[in-house]
Amino acid sequence: MSDAVLLEVRDLKVAFDTPEAHVDAVRGVTFSLRKGEIISVVGESGSGKSVTMRALMGLLPQSTLISGSAKLLGTELVGIAPKELQRLRGSRMAMIFQDPLTALNPVLTVGDQVMEAIRIHNSAMSDTDIRRRAMDLLAEVAIPFPEKRMEQYPHEFSGGMRQRVVIAIAIANKPDLIIADEPTTALDVTVQAQILELLEQLCHRNNTGLVLITHDLGVVAGMAEAVSVMYAGSVVEQASVDDLFDNPAHPYTRGLLGSLPEINGEIGRLTDIGGAPPTPQTIPNGCAFHPRCSFAIEKCRALSPLLTKVGNSAVACHLANGLPAYRSPRKAA
């Protein structure tokens, strides 16, 4: 892993104007990623994880209001011209989507779709070289008989094989940045492990930075180097994997970790976080988590906490220094 900063996001905000209301979906997200580093973004559905990453990729509607800064190797992505963003997307940064079946075109062969990703950014390559490169990519992501598979359609592939094709398209031009949006959601456990191992190998081999969006804290514990925890459109805690699991500083992070089942532990009901996360239209005043937090005090209801340094972590909580000791669930993860 290099010390060079690959991606630097500062105070990123994303909002949508709807007929009903102005919706703040992402509220000041800040994080950074180095070359060859793997970081994870976790949080409940609706916390703003995918919207944040789609904003970086320029995959949100044109009417979306985006502010703040997001620099890829020094190039500002917020407000960049569409043609310039299209040049970067696929060559310098790529995204692996959650559902490979809908990410692939059902009426084009797998080979055509992989070759298209190469051809768009390598206009000087001959058709023969493009085809050879596409077969090499399929072999690289462990798809057997790539020459035969090139002529098949997505519906002829299993879920795991389709996800491998999506990864092949993402790495076709050796991008500096890959964003993986829950890439193993619809896959069985064995295939999940294969896909994650493949991504890790590709990142280390090509010195590629990876942002992994996931709900699976076991994946986070085994793969990521640093974690950003999101709640209601904001980052509430950022830490290394070791610090996050050994000493979570935010009550929401503790709730997520407390929901993990224990290995060889006492059989009983899983711990849950009471209540439900707010929608972007119903975010309360003060700390957005306070209605669900058992530690909340009056200050939490009145003032929104800033992301501040607490030990080795950054935490948005008024009580981060005063929470009781926590038993690490690392073995469960």
Side-chain angles (χ1 to χ4, degrees):
M1 181 177 62
S2 168
D3 289 332
V5 175
L6 170 62
L7 177 67
E8 188 169 16
V9 179
R10 292 288 176 266
D11 196 29
L12 184 71
K13 298 177 182 177
V14 181
F16 303 96
D17 277 327
T18 69
E20 294 78 22
H22 176 85
V23 177
D24 293 314
V26 176
R27 306 181 299 136
V29 167
T30 296
F31 69 90
S32 62
L33 173 71
R34 291 170 292 170
K35 286 188 174 182
E37 184 180 19
I38 299 175
I39 66 172
S40 184
V41 181
V42 302
E44 292 168 288
S45 296
S47 60
K49 308 183 299 297
S50 296
V51 172
T52 299
M53 300 309 156
R54 286 174 179 265
L56 302 183
M57 293 292 296
L59 297 176
L60 295 175
Q62 290 186 350
S63 59
T64 306
L65 305 174
I66 304 175
S67 62
S69 175
K71 293 182 178 179
L72 178 67
L73 292 173
T75 299
E76 181 61 68
L77 301 177
V78 175
I80 191 173
K83 282 190 176 181
E84 181 64 15
L85 183 60
Q86 188 174 16
R87 185 184 68 81
L88 293 174
R89 193 168 51 221
S91 60
R92 306 299 299 275
M93 57 182 182
M95 191 163 186
I96 300 169
F97 296 96
Q98 182 172 350
D99 184 358
L101 184 58
T102 57
L104 296 171
N105 190 325
V107 300
L108 295 179
T109 65
V110 163
D112 284 339
Q113 296 183 65
V114 178
M115 289 190 293
E116 179 185 33
I118 303 168
R119 184 177 292 111
I120 288 174
H121 297 284
N122 301 275
S123 56
M125 285 182 69
S126 67
D127 289 343
T128 301
D129 288 340
I130 290 174
R131 183 175 180 82
R132 186 181 299 114
R133 169 65 176 155
M135 286 191 290
D136 289 344
L137 283 166
L138 293 182
E140 189 174 355
V141 296
I143 291 180
F145 312 110
E147 187 171 3
K148 175 184 176 182
R149 292 292 192 174
M150 288 273 291
E151 309 305 323
Q152 295 181 325
Y153 291 85
H155 73 269
E156 298 178 82
F157 284 59
S158 67
M161 297 281 273
R162 284 194 291 264
Q163 192 61 285
R164 291 175 187 273
V165 172
V166 173
I167 293 172
I169 292 172
I171 66 172
N173 300 294
K174 297 184 178 179
D176 300 295
L177 168 68
I178 293 177
I179 297 171
D181 188 357
E182 300 184 41
T184 60
T185 295
L187 307 178
D188 64 60
V189 176
T190 303
V191 177
Q192 283 185 30
Q194 294 171 353
I195 294 296
L196 293 171
E197 183 180 5
L198 172 62
L199 283 173
E200 193 170 16
Q201 290 173 351
L202 292 171
C203 288
H204 292 160
R205 185 186 310 154
N206 300 327
N207 203 28
T208 301
L210 174 67
V211 179
L212 177 65
I213 302 172
T214 182
H215 291 284
D216 191 333
L217 293 172
V219 170
V220 174
M223 189 172 177
E225 299 162 56
V227 189
S228 290
V229 182
M230 289 190 68
Y231 185 81
S234 297
V235 173
V236 296
E237 184 165 1
Q238 286 179 329
S240 69
V241 167
D242 289 340
D243 288 324
L244 190 89
F245 279 87
D246 291 338
N247 189 29
H250 196 283
Y252 178 60
T253 308
R254 291 188 171 201
L256 292 178
L257 295 175
S259 67
L260 291 171
E262 290 286 349
I263 298 176
N264 298 325
E266 182 180 347
I267 298 175
R269 292 181 63 86
L270 295 178
T271 303
D272 67 339
I273 303 173
T279 66
Q281 299 94 319
T282 61
I283 295 175
N285 293 328
C287 174
F289 186 63
H290 85 256
R292 307 173 68 191
C293 180
S294 58
F295 302 104
I297 60 176
E298 191 57 39
K299 185 178 181 181
C300 304
R301 300 178 181 89
L303 297 176
S304 179
L306 299 176
L307 197 66
T308 54
K309 194 76 172 177
V310 177
N312 295 323
S313 305
V315 189
C317 179
H318 296 303
L319 304 172
N321 285 313
L323 295 179
Y326 185 76
R327 182 174 60 86
S328 171
R330 178 182 291 275
K331 288 185 178 180

